[in-house]
Amino acid sequence: MSDLVTVTIDGVEVTVPQGTLVVDAAKMIDNDIPVFCYHPKLKPVGMCRMCLVEIGVPMRDRATGEVLRNEDGSVRLNFGRGLQTACTVVVSDGMVVRTATQPVKDAREAVIEFLLTSHPLDCPICDKGGECPLQNLTMRYGRGESRFDFSNKILLDKHVPLGELIYLDRQRCIQCARCIRFQDEVVDDPVIDFHNRGRRLEIVTLSEPGFDSYWSGNTTDICPVGALTTADFRFGARPWELTSVASVCTHCPVGCNTTLDTRREAIAGGRSVIKRVMPRQNEWVNEIWICDKGRFVHHYADAPTRLKQPLVRKNGQLVEASWDEALDLVAGKLQQHKTAVAGLAGDRLSNEDLYLFQKLFREGLGSNNIDLANRRLAGGDVVAQVGLASGSNLKELGAGDAVLVVATDLHEEAPVWWLRVKQAAERGAVVVVANLRPTRLDKFATHRLHYAPGEALSTIRQLVNLAKVEMETADSDPLAAAADALIKAKNMVVFYGSEGLTYEETDALARLLANLLLVKNGEGHVGRPNNGLIPVWPHSNTQGAWDMGVHPAFAPGYKPVSEPGLRATDIYAGVADGSLKALFVIGADPVGDGLMADRGQLDFLVVQELFMTKTAELADVVLPAQSWAEREGTFTTGERRVQRYYMAIPPIGDSRPDWQILAQINERVGLGKPAFAASLVFNEIAKVVPQYKGMDYRSLARVEKQWPDVGGEDLYYGGTAHENRSGLGQQWACVAESATVERFDVAEQPVIARDGLQLVRVAALYTSGTLIEQSPVLHHRMARPTIQLAHADATALGLADDDRAEVTVNSVTYETAVRVNEQVPAGLVLLSGVPYIAGLTTAQIRKLETAVAQPTGD
Amino acid sequence: MAHILLRHRDIENIHELDVYLAHGGYEGLKKALSIQPDEVIEVVKKSGLRGRGGAGFPTGIKWGFIPKGPGEKYVIINTDESETGTFKDRELVEKNPHQVIEGALIAAYAIGARTIYNYFRGEYMDAAYRFEEALKACYERGLLGQNILGSDFSCDFYCHYGAGAYICGEETALINSLMGNLGQPWSKPPFPAIEGLYGKPTVVNNTETLANVPPILVNGPEWYTSMGTEKSPGVKIVCMSGHVERPGNYEVEMGVTYRQLIEMAGGMRNGRKFKALLPSGGSGPVITEEALDAPMTYEGLTPYGSVMGSSSVIVMDETTDMVWAALKMVHFFRHESCGKCTPCREGTFWMEKVLSRIYHGYGTERDLQILESVANQIGGRCLCALGDFAVNPVLSTIRHFFDEYKAKVSGAGQKQQATRETAVATAD
Ligand SMILES: Cc1cc2nc3c(=O)[nH]c(=O)nc-3n(C[C@H](O)[C@H](O)[C@H](O)COP(=O)(O)O)c2cc1C
Ligand code: SF4
Ligand code: SF4
Ligand code: SF4
Ligand code: FES
């Protein structure tokens, strides 16, 4: 039997895959069947009854199965007893659907009329007004006049906080359950549900704190009315006043496509400001979802504490200066200390910034002393060889495929990847997690490998050694079973992170995992779409930093340099011991992050930043940069997709884009006329970095039709996530796609005996940092310093659940909450809500006797 | 004639296991265990037994839908019984519980289930105590639990008590409720027989349906089809209520006429004149004098635009205000609407408001039109049958008693409340 089915909808034939719903089949030929409860990313429920149509199927002779025909030869159709919901009926061959008949029109009009009998119609003050499915479908199918002549329509609460982020207007809710179903089916956070029945059906939150989910904002996009609104946008603007600009999320390596909706604001002195961040469809990256961090952290762009003017230290004080003065000073000082300079960059900067930064050092100053200020995860060079192949889409992974996730908590570090791996598992993929401790992905994993502290590398090495093509039938050893499942998979994707590992250990880990992918089995697991390695980078453009050569040993495009420069750790040492004289820190705060004690013996420190960070306070020159929203640029995701973002709001004060500041310094150190547009810098990148060859701002802006339709006219169907009109980005090809990659040599790591409790810092999505601190809406949700440990370990320390403790790690002391959690393996302490700490450490943990009031976060 | 279902009326204390056993109890189960599960299904198919929960689906065919082979399966007894004027299942579980248990065990054996649930209407606590005692006795005597009657067949039995929702009698809402979810139906397919409780194949049968099964196994399908009519064989418990002299349950052969039923119940109360009756509680259209000689079968009322349903006959005499009666029914359905689908959630509310206005004498011709139009906008467009049920009393009373409505809207009726606006039913 073929897996395609042909149906006729209003006289138009369409051939669609078996299992397609009538509503989707119609959509494919632009026949818009109106819906409220149906959403193409959710299972159909047939609740709202808006999609009723006439559906006829060919009648067959009971005995022979022959199709029955009318006298004129046409097929006899059985239209059943009445209208049917197009969202729940699956197409079948020969089906005939009628969507424009009088009964269908009547039914649509009736549903609209019914909905309006309990709807407040406060469109003039409703956030959804202007992009409201109910409004639009009422205009299209409603009767235009009410027959419900009672004045007491419905009186329900209009401002119900489901938490601090999402508000419910009970009057506006049309009980479609999209929000409930999204939370349950899509993101497995069933924290909201219906309560009561009939017209009193209401959405309630079941969690404490309310609506406790990293995904809550998405429900406001798919809610077909203004019942769910976000705390920071509600009553903030009308949709038609907004100017939408395409952007990319800057908070994790997934690189979700977003749209910045902006508006000129009187309170901002007539400036355009970001009113909200919305998902922008990219079925390759984030589909139509974003996490709440990506949605709510943007407020830092408008923070009053932004730097607005260059600052130069005079008589011990940082005072405002002109750009020329500041830039001349920077260029002069850097050149003066040419032999003793270094540069440290943050990995949230754009490719253009990072490229020009390394160019300044390599070409302008002749130095390879350049690195990421806060490097955590190695293996960029390995990824360049065997990374996830171009043309991959995690959405395609399913039965027969495998995903391995090592040393990372995807739900906290890269939420949308967690979602995509979870969904792959639901489609039948083998999911193997290897970590020190359980994470949220364990629930969806088929194999869970929890290694002992210090045994990460030896465990993975064993796994690789066990992964032989001719495996004996999997024995009971879980490691062997996992290896077997992985190696036999049609496609294999491997994620790796740095939880509990040092930088050097992550380097070995990347190589070991590359070797796993390189075990030859059939077509192999490298160089083919949906196969390869994905690093769970700490920031949004760590990948770009590697590509651009912000690395002491690699020039742009992974060209090894003959004389590698100083690594970040050496640079910090050089600052302290005086062997370095000048330091340029861009988009990073090593002092605030505890990596650099002070300015040591530096003669000159320049910091390029958005805010007056701890490092900036010590600088000789502070250069005010623009946030990502004020400028354009490109980021490269962990899947090596190069994506463009666009200028959405005007610059704050006299700030300039990072790349421009760098270009102007570069000019001053003799590197020629500065490029006057980011696109031109990118063109240079495309020439210098072989992997980016052929890309330019136009190719990155290419789009294609995506399924399902969202945004625009289709918002009743897919929600208000924006249609992608500004670019899907381009994945660059790794070496394995065109050449054979040899196995990597990985030196055997000595197993270090570890005594006593081992402390590992674990990630939390809302961990305090320079940017997130500036978004008040998230303050209640911030991860407070917390330790988690098993009952026996807690008892040994005299700790109990809900106690407070003082934890000293690497001579930094934190006051933490204490959570006794039996999920934590014995001998391990998980510390979250604090800045990154590499590897495993020991810690002094002391119970705090004085009852300290729980901070409320206000 | 001795009762087949209401056997407690003939045999004292049959709710006690010993008494039940002494009168042929669990012989049907023994018979079933002595033949193959498929053969049991075949016997039930041949008996022509149809669902007594209202929809009348052939029971054997329903059992036959359950996929064969290994895997968890469930039998659920539907004792939610919340239809207005329905009280037959209560008498069975309270007075003759073993016959229900035995029927359910036979069903479980036939479909390969190892677990039975009985979903009780929450208010049936007294009946439930009796029932639970019966279960305890069964466990003690090896009629429940491991290796029942020494066979390979093992089965457990649990009771669950509803929290007071009519909709939880609808099989998919019942399953949701049983799983701890909100008591709302789901859109079928998937049917419970394929994806029911916990996603596993499940048979949901009405209590009375299952009580019919043991005697069918003992006496054979031909015995069963010898009663009733060809398409509606067997016996049925009829719940007689309303303006009759002796309301209560009556066990009858299918095919008796409604007139006979009224006579059986002692005739019209106080000798008043018959006006109309609801043959299926609140959920079926009313019938009038013209249909009284129709046979009580699954098909008998089709020509009169009504249904037998669960055969809960509510009889109304000449003193009944039919607009009032319709309002009562609509109030019930509005109150019980689960709210999942738009037409029922909003439409029942609207119908009640308009109807109330009409009943209280503030209605207009236009209200009458709106009432009919709203009812038509609900009918046939809902997710479950409750929406249609809600429309039946309205449309059928409009059809048969239009004059009464007319009188109300022409101002002839007494104005019963202060203003047009407040003439609405009090919410809950
Ligand atoms: C709103 C509604 C309420 C129902 N209530 C009951 C009930 O209380 N008891 C019952 O047995 N069936 C009830 N049903 C029918 C059940 O859905 C189901 O058809 C029945 O339990 C199947 O059993 P049967 O085949 O033995 O009749 C109800 C159906 C609807 C739509
Ligand atoms: S809040 Fe919105 S999405 Fe949720 S049920 Fe109501 S209308 Fe639907
Ligand atoms: S998943 Fe990552 S990229 Fe996507 S919105 Fe969240 S933080 Fe941003
Ligand atoms: S018809 Fe009524 S009871 Fe049935 S699903 Fe719809 S709202 Fe619920
Ligand atoms: S019932 Fe089909 S869209 Fe709601």
Side-chain angles (χ1 to χ4, degrees), chain A residues 794-814:
Chain A
T795 314
L797 289 166
L799 293 172
D801 211 17
D802 285 340
D803 276 353
R804 309 231 10 117
E806 200 176 72
V807 180
T808 308
V809 212
N810 299 342
S811 64
V812 183
T813 300
Y814 303 100

Side-chain angles (χ1 to χ4, degrees), chain A residues 46-49 110 113-115 117-118 147-152 174-175 194 197-201, chain B residues 164-165 182 335-342 345-346 349-350 353 357 373 377 381-383 420-421 428:
Chain A
M47 292 168 65
C48 74
R49 319 306 287 177
E113 181 175 39
F114 281 141
L115 286 175
T117 63
S118 67
R147 295 187 299 164
F148 186 80
D149 54 350
F150 296 87
S151 59
N152 56 341
I174 60 165
Q175 284 93 6
F194 278 135
R197 69 169 181 241
R199 261 187 148 217
R200 301 171 143 208
L201 212 54
Chain B
L182 198 67
H335 185 258
E336 297 299 333
S337 165
C338 84
K340 184 164 182 169
C341 68
T342 313
R345 179 183 68 237
E346 309 292 342
F349 173 82
W350 192 357
K353 281 195 103 150
R357 179 190 274 173
S373 149
Q377 287 183 182
R381 292 178 184 168
C382 292
L383 188 149
R420 187 175 139 86
E421 184 60 48
D428 304 288

Side-chain angles (χ1 to χ4, degrees), chain A residues 256-276:
Chain A
C256 292
N257 291 203
T258 56
T259 297
L260 306 182
D261 281 341
T262 67
R263 189 183 77 163
R264 288 160 65 96
E265 265 329 64
I267 50 162
R271 275 186 77 239
S272 255
V273 298
I274 302 173
K275 297 302 292 180
R276 62 177 183 182

Side-chain angles (χ1 to χ4, degrees), chain A residues 604-835:
Chain A
F604 184 69
L605 173 62
V606 48
V607 174
Q608 187 166 313
E609 247 305 340
L610 300 180
F611 296 100
M612 185 54 80
T613 58
K614 290 246 159 53
T615 315
E617 283 170 4
L618 305 173
D620 299 295
V621 177
V622 180
L623 303 172
Q626 291 174 3
S627 76
W628 101 112
E630 292 147 49
R631 40 155 303 178
E632 54 180 344
T634 58
F635 291 136
T636 307
T637 73
E639 296 176 70
R640 297 189 331 289
R641 177 174 295 272
V642 185
Q643 305 192 110
R644 252 185 98 173
Y645 60 93
Y646 298 77
M647 178 180 149
I649 55 173
I652 296 265
D654 214 2
S655 60
R656 291 182 181 175
D658 290 283
W659 63 266
Q660 192 181 53
I661 303 170
L662 291 163
Q664 288 163 346
I665 297 172
N666 287 358
E667 183 187 20
R668 286 171 166 79
V669 301
L671 290 179
K673 276 268 160 243
F676 58 83
S679 60
L680 299 177
V681 181
F682 191 84
N683 288 350
E684 186 177 331
I685 293 172
K687 279 201 204 93
V688 175
V689 179
Q691 289 82 354
Y692 287 53
K693 195 171 165 213
M695 294 184 198
D696 58 29
Y697 269 25
R698 271 190 305 181
S699 69
L700 296 179
R702 242 177 251 146
V703 291
E704 59 193 47
K705 184 157 167 61
Q706 300 186 79
W707 179 264
D709 295 9
V710 297
E713 288 286 296
D714 294 302
L715 52 85
Y716 67 88
Y717 182 71
T720 46
H722 286 253
E723 183 189 344
N724 198 328
R725 301 202 187 92
S726 308
L728 295 167
Q730 277 173 279
Q731 256 172 324
W732 61 261
C734 63
V735 172
E737 293 176 48
S738 53
T740 312
V741 175
E742 295 302 323
R743 277 174 67 95
F744 292 81
D745 284 332
V746 199
E748 193 93 35
Q749 254 69 28
V751 175
I752 310 161
R754 291 177 186 273
D755 297 327
L757 275 181
Q758 297 294 309
L759 180 136
V760 58
R761 183 270 193 187
V762 299
L765 187 65
Y766 304 141
T767 298
S768 168
T770 312
L771 305 182
I772 197 169
E773 285 292 346
Q774 312 289 337
S775 289
V777 278
L778 284 174
H779 273 187
H780 284 83
R781 301 274 154 138
M782 295 289 273
R784 310 277 155 215
T786 304
I787 55 169
Q788 295 183 64
L789 67 182
H791 184 75
D793 290 331
T795 314
L797 289 166
L799 293 172
D801 211 17
D802 285 340
D803 276 353
R804 309 231 10 117
E806 200 176 72
V807 180
T808 308
V809 212
N810 299 342
S811 64
V812 183
T813 300
Y814 303 100
E815 193 194 314
T816 74
V818 176
R819 292 274 168 275
V820 175
N821 178 351
E822 279 319 310
Q823 296 256 305
V824 179
L828 206 60
V829 180
L830 313 183
L831 173 61
S832 55
V834 303

Side-chain angles (χ1 to χ4, degrees), chain A residues 319-373:
Chain A
V319 293
E320 291 193 355
S322 73
W323 272 107
D324 279 338
E325 184 189 347
L327 294 174
D328 288 344
L329 184 59
V330 171
K333 281 287 186 182
L334 292 177
Q335 279 178 309
Q336 180 195 331
H337 293 299
K338 225 173 177 163
T339 52
V341 290
L344 290 170
D347 30 10
R348 279 201 185 89
L349 295 167
S350 78
N351 291 324
E352 294 75 5
D353 309 334
L354 293 163
Y355 172 77
L356 290 181
F357 189 61
Q358 69 77 38
K359 187 174 174 182
L360 167 66
F361 281 84
R362 292 221 163 83
E363 294 178 32
L365 305 170
S367 171
N368 281 320
N369 294 344
I370 165 172
D371 205 350
L372 290 175

